[in-house]
Amino acid sequence: MTPTLFITGTDTGCGKTTVTAALARRLADGGQRVACFKPVASGCEWIEGTWRNEDALALMAAASVELDYDQVNPIALEEAIAPHLAAERSGVAIDLDALVAGIEAPSADIKLVEGAGGWMVPLGDELMTADLARRLSAGVVLVVGLKLGAINHALLSARAIEADGLKLVGWIANRLDPDQPVQDENIATLGSKLGPPLAVWKHDGGWEDDGRLAEGLFGGAGSALLAQP
């Protein structure tokens, strides 16, 4: 089975796409065939006769496996609201079986799947983000946007992921605002609860600390899968 990581976040705007794209580029630099997916995206623009999402386009640019847009983002919804509401208002049915089949079909060495919003975002009346990650047998990576409330959001998200029976393989700190106070202290606090971060992404781009990425994401095979650039 192709190793699959599901990237979720503490909330909307925490930097999931930035981190997912950076991971994809890093893996591709190591010679891996990386496929990226944004199965459900709300907040799309009408481009060349169809709805397109900027996050999905960013993932396509970072991936080393070339896929059609509809493979990367099969559910593209116009309104920038909760996806289950945007789907309902657009008359779109989110089919879990179809999403899973679409992600499993392409050939790749590693697959990165970015969620919509945070972990507890519904995708339908009886469908949650956890259901998609579970069906994909994916390890979960939590992106923590370092801002006021980050500790609470991160610890609640981690608890929910584990309560849903998924494996939280690690978390990545994202320095959203260079002026946000006590960022290092927040990282240390979360580290004492969740273990040290797999990596820290700098506000101006680039990894500040990514020494644990390989082993944390892929276990003992990490060094072979995630080569240093």
Side-chain angles (χ1 to χ4, degrees):
M1 181 179 294
T2 303
T4 302
L5 295 174
F6 191 95
I7 291 81
T8 190
T10 43
D11 58 5
T12 298
C14 67
K16 295 188 305 297
T17 301
T18 297
V19 168
T20 305
L23 286 175
R25 290 190 294 268
R26 181 69 182 278
L27 288 159
D29 287 345
Q32 300 300 311
R33 298 172 60 250
V34 188
C36 292
F37 303 88
K38 177 85 173 181
V40 179
S42 55
C44 297
E45 297 182 9
W46 189 254
I47 300 173
E48 298 180 354
T50 188
W51 293 110
R52 294 286 184 263
N53 176 264
E54 64 178 358
D55 292 345
L57 293 172
L59 296 184
M60 291 178 70
S64 55
V65 173
E66 185 174 342
L67 300 174
D68 292 337
Y69 184 88
D70 290 344
Q71 292 176 281
V72 174
N73 176 215
I75 304 295
L77 304 165
E78 176 185 5
E79 293 184 275
I81 58 178
H84 71 296
L85 298 178
E88 180 181 347
R89 287 158 63 97
S90 300
V92 174
I94 298 179
D95 185 326
L96 180 61
D97 291 337
L99 291 182
V100 171
I103 293 169
E104 291 182 342
S107 175
D109 297 322
I110 298 166
K111 295 179 179 179
L112 305 180
V113 182
E114 182 190 335
W119 181 253
M120 295 300 293
V121 169
L123 299 179
D125 288 342
E126 299 182 359
L127 181 62
M128 298 294 291
T129 293
D131 297 315
L132 176 57
R134 187 180 297 110
R135 282 283 302 275
L136 293 170
S137 299
V140 181
V141 176
L142 177 65
V143 178
V144 178
L146 295 177
K147 59 183 179 180
L148 192 63
I151 293 175
N152 179 61
H153 292 163
L155 294 180
L156 285 175
S157 297
R159 181 173 293 184
I161 290 164
E162 293 176 348
D164 283 330
L166 278 295
K167 180 181 180 182
L168 178 63
V169 299
W171 63 285
I172 293 175
N174 182 22
R175 296 188 186 275
L176 295 172
D177 180 357
D179 297 322
Q180 179 68 29
V182 297
Q183 293 188 37
D184 291 338
E185 291 85 345
N186 282 345
I187 292 173
T189 298
L190 286 173
S192 71
K193 306 294 185 182
L194 302 177
L198 297 172
V200 177
W201 184 257
K202 297 187 292 186
H203 171 74
D204 57 354
W207 297 110
E208 174 182 310
D209 178 11
D210 62 353
R212 299 183 65 250
L213 269 180
E215 185 173 356
L217 293 176
F218 303 109
S223 58
L225 289 167
L226 192 60
Q228 294 291 332

